[in-house]
Amino acid sequence: MSEANYVLALDQGTTSSRAILFDQQGLPVATGQQEFRQIYPQPGWVEHDPEEIWQSQWQSIQACLAQANVPIEQIKAIGITNQRETTVVWDRRTGKAIYNAIVWQCRRTADVCDRLRAQGFTSTFQEKTGLVLDAYFSGTKVGWILDHVPGARQDAEAGHLAFGTIDSWLIYKLTGGKKHVTDYSNASRTLLYNIHTLQWDADLLNILQVPQNMCPTVVDSSGIAGYTDTQWFGNEIPIAGIAGDQQAALFGQGCWTPGTAKNTYGTGSFLLMNTGEEPVPSHQGLVTTIAWGINGQVTYALEGSIFITGAVVQWLRDELQLIHDAKETEDIALSVPDTGGVYVVPAFVGLGAPYWDSYARGTIVGLTRGSNRAHIVRAALESIAYQSRDVLEAMMKDSGRQISMLRVDGGAIANRFLAQFQADLLNCTVERPQVTETTAMGAAFLAGLATGVWPGFEPLAQAWKRDALFYPSMAEDTRDHLYQQWQRAVERAKNWIEPSEM
């Protein structure tokens, strides 16, 4: 009997680092997880210590391997997926970061983006990168570090500094400083990479004042990018899969053909649709991004970010104290036939795609004397589905494609009421997988595909297993009426506060 093969997935997230070992059936057999500090130097600023990220990732690897008790020789590849846009700059001479990592959530460079927009650069960035000009992405963060760390700009010009997203930092560490690389999906989130020419863009680097010599080499998302240094595992293990977290989830959900789409329901939600070999420019408030690159061939995606979905359930629990546990919401929602005309618009931090309204705020509309706890809980759950429809409608307009099936993952979608309402509202089938660790699974799939653990897409398709299907059963006039009312509710939430109140 031949020995079993495994793939180790490293899932480096915003609040914790995880390591998950997958077997050839695509099942997780062991897990390690380690949280790390969130650093808030002042309001709106978010940082991580890059060394703490590395230590937490290494500790999670050790915990996972101790639990698995699998010989190292049977681990055939490592796949890496990461919180996107978070930015590290380190000194090649020492291997040490010169400043904390600036996290994707950090708003410190919002004024830089305002200035660039005022200078007329919005369309330049959108056309070259597919992104909106926002502090969310990496480019302005690199510039900020170079401008605020003494001597950094001179060191960068002299070729001493390296810039990378978290995947680059982990690979640099794992390879003992031998490799400074990233993949197409992460490069496409930096505001520095041209998604059409597949090059670091000289114009964008010049506008943001980032020397090109700082940028990593861009490699395939599925392919051997380097080998681990023997100090870590004794053996050299190929690092063969790299993708940003949402693109990894798209791959892990088996969305490999144009028109297939997935939605991840976390604190917020990320809806991505595979658009194939052509980048589709968005006119509906979405971003165009690279999904992955395999054998030098790039696949593109449309992406819509929703700020508050699962977090609305936390709000019901922690602030309103209408529930004790998120699991209660399913039964509470089903205890009433509908919301009684109540709509919750959870625009607590403004509205994301497709509205992009920073001045919107949360509202509850349609309240009557008969409105009760169950109506509000149900309306909060329904808001998750309504926001997802907003993004999906924009995607179908941009791409000219209809979506007949949506694959879903993330904690909130375990709620059967939400899954069914989502299917009803979209008038499409909602498919939920058995393995909900789709982000880590995507990284494992990319790595295993490159190393022969799965010798093609057919074995990968067999490794993806369905948990449940939800079919639409709502009458069309009901669906249309509910959605029109939702759109009216959103109008009430828009543009609520004055810019001076921000």
Side-chain angles (χ1 to χ4, degrees):
M1 182 170 163
S2 63
E3 66 176 27
N5 291 331
Y6 299 89
V7 178
L8 180 62
L10 309 185
D11 183 356
Q12 204 299 301
T14 307
T15 58
S16 71
S17 299
R18 307 171 71 218
I20 303 178
L21 194 67
F22 286 88
D23 65 16
Q24 267 179 289
Q25 284 67 54
L27 296 172
V29 296
T31 306
Q33 183 165 356
Q34 186 72 40
E35 292 189 358
F36 54 89
R37 275 189 312 152
Q38 306 296 303
I39 303 165
Y40 306 105
Q42 59 187 67
W45 291 29
V46 192
E47 296 177 0
H48 294 153
D49 180 333
E51 284 299 327
E52 281 183 29
I53 287 181
W54 161 245
Q55 289 300 331
S56 67
Q57 189 65 73
W58 178 237
Q59 285 161 7
S60 72
I61 291 168
Q62 291 174 297
C64 175
L65 296 184
Q67 187 189 104
N69 197 23
V70 165
I72 290 294
E73 305 79 60
Q74 288 175 234
I75 299 174
K76 299 302 180 187
I78 291 174
I80 294 174
T81 182
N82 54 288
Q83 52 163 317
R84 301 177 303 174
E85 297 97 17
T86 296
T87 301
V88 186
V89 175
W90 65 93
D91 193 317
R92 300 177 195 275
R93 296 166 295 186
T94 63
K96 300 283 188 209
I98 65 165
Y99 189 80
N100 277 341
I102 301 183
V103 180
W104 60 272
Q105 299 157 317
C106 187
R107 304 303 300 169
R108 78 183 64 190
T109 59
D111 60 329
V112 177
C113 296
D114 289 343
R115 189 174 72 245
L116 292 169
R117 279 193 292 270
Q119 290 169 348
F121 286 122
T122 301
S123 59
T124 305
F125 280 92
Q126 184 163 19
E127 285 162 19
K128 287 172 178 276
T129 70
L131 306 175
V132 292
L133 190 48
D134 192 86
Y136 179 32
F137 303 107
S138 313
T140 56
K141 303 180 196 298
V142 187
W144 190 96
I145 291 173
L146 294 183
D147 287 337
H148 290 82
V149 175
R153 225 168 237 298
Q154 294 88 319
D155 282 346
E157 299 291 350
H160 298 315
L161 300 187
F163 145 65
T165 42
I166 297 298
D167 56 307
S168 298
W169 174 242
L170 293 180
I171 293 166
Y172 182 79
K173 288 291 202 179
L174 285 166
T175 60
K178 294 183 192 73
K179 291 289 179 182
H180 179 214
V181 299
T182 191
D183 87 301
Y184 291 109
S185 72
N186 279 295
S188 76
R189 313 296 295 188
T190 60
L191 279 178
L192 300 168
Y193 192 71
N194 189 314
I195 63 171
H196 309 283
T197 64
L198 305 182
Q199 302 286 332
W200 297 109
D201 192 284
D203 293 341
L204 303 179
L205 290 161
N206 186 44
I207 293 165
L208 294 176
Q209 295 186 291
V210 175
Q212 184 162 349
N213 64 27
M214 294 181 70
C215 297
T217 301
V218 182
V219 300
D220 279 339
S221 311
S222 178
I224 296 175
Y227 292 86
T228 59
D229 193 83
T230 51
Q231 66 177 303
W232 303 120
F233 301 100
N235 283 19
E236 289 188 341
I237 303 174
I239 299 165
I242 315 166
D245 53 12
Q246 299 307 323
Q247 290 100 324
L250 188 70
F251 197 85
Q253 281 279 37
C255 297
W256 305 319
T257 54
T260 52
K262 72 90 194 173
N263 196 7
T264 299
Y265 298 76
T267 303
S269 284
F270 292 88
L271 221 158
L272 274 77
M273 177 204 271
N274 181 327
T275 62
E277 295 177 12
E278 292 300 317
V280 175
S282 179
H283 305 289
Q284 304 290 330
L286 307 178
V287 300
T288 307
T289 198
I290 296 178
W292 49 75
I294 299 176
N295 297 327
Q297 176 61 59
V298 162
T299 295
Y300 294 91
L302 279 168
E303 176 176 328
S305 309
I306 306 165
F307 296 153
I308 302 287
T309 54
V312 75
V313 178
Q314 295 172 321
W315 172 73
L316 293 175
R317 183 192 65 198
D318 300 341
E319 269 66 47
L320 297 193
Q321 297 181 0
L322 292 181
I323 57 169
H324 296 292
D325 189 292
K327 293 187 179 72
E328 296 171 57
T329 57
E330 186 175 323
D331 288 340
I332 295 170
L334 291 168
S335 72
V336 287
D338 52 45
T339 67
V342 174
Y343 286 81
V344 173
V345 183
F348 304 143
V349 290
L351 288 166
Y355 304 106
W356 296 107
D357 183 347
S358 300
Y359 305 110
R361 284 298 177 267
T363 53
I364 304 176
V365 297
L367 292 170
T368 65
R369 180 64 185 78
S371 303
N372 63 32
R373 165 182 178 242
H375 294 125
I376 292 171
V377 169
R378 181 170 173 139
L381 285 180
E382 288 187 0
S383 77
I384 298 173
Y386 285 122
Q387 291 180 98
S388 299
R389 175 161 169 179
D390 287 339
V391 171
L392 215 61
E393 295 261 324
M395 267 182 189
M396 291 191 289
K397 281 181 190 154
D398 275 336
S399 67
R401 291 178 181 273
Q402 284 298 116
I403 290 178
S404 58
M405 168 88 75
L406 180 67
R407 287 192 164 171
V408 296
D409 57 84
I413 207 66
N415 185 306
R416 291 185 70 84
F417 166 78
L418 173 59
Q420 183 58 50
F421 188 76
Q422 186 72 89
D424 286 338
L425 195 67
L426 297 177
N427 195 27
C428 84
T429 307
V430 165
E431 190 172 20
R432 194 170 68 192
Q434 281 181 18
V435 176
T436 54
E437 300 286 359
T438 52
T439 303
M441 197 165 171
F445 277 2
L446 287 163
L449 192 63
T451 51
V453 175
W454 294 288
F457 281 88
E458 187 53 41
L460 286 185
Q462 290 168 6
W464 188 96
K465 294 180 180 65
R466 176 193 299 151
D467 170 55
L469 273 178
F470 299 88
Y471 297 101
S473 59
M474 186 180 279
E476 190 172 348
D477 57 345
T478 307
R479 179 187 308 118
D480 291 346
H481 173 71
L482 288 174
Y483 188 57
Q484 283 165 6
Q485 292 294 95
W486 162 259
Q487 290 174 307
R488 288 182 66 205
V490 170
E491 287 303 316
R492 303 297 193 277
K494 279 183 179 175
N495 204 28
W496 181 253
I497 64 165
E498 299 295 330
S500 60
E501 296 175 65
M502 286 285 275

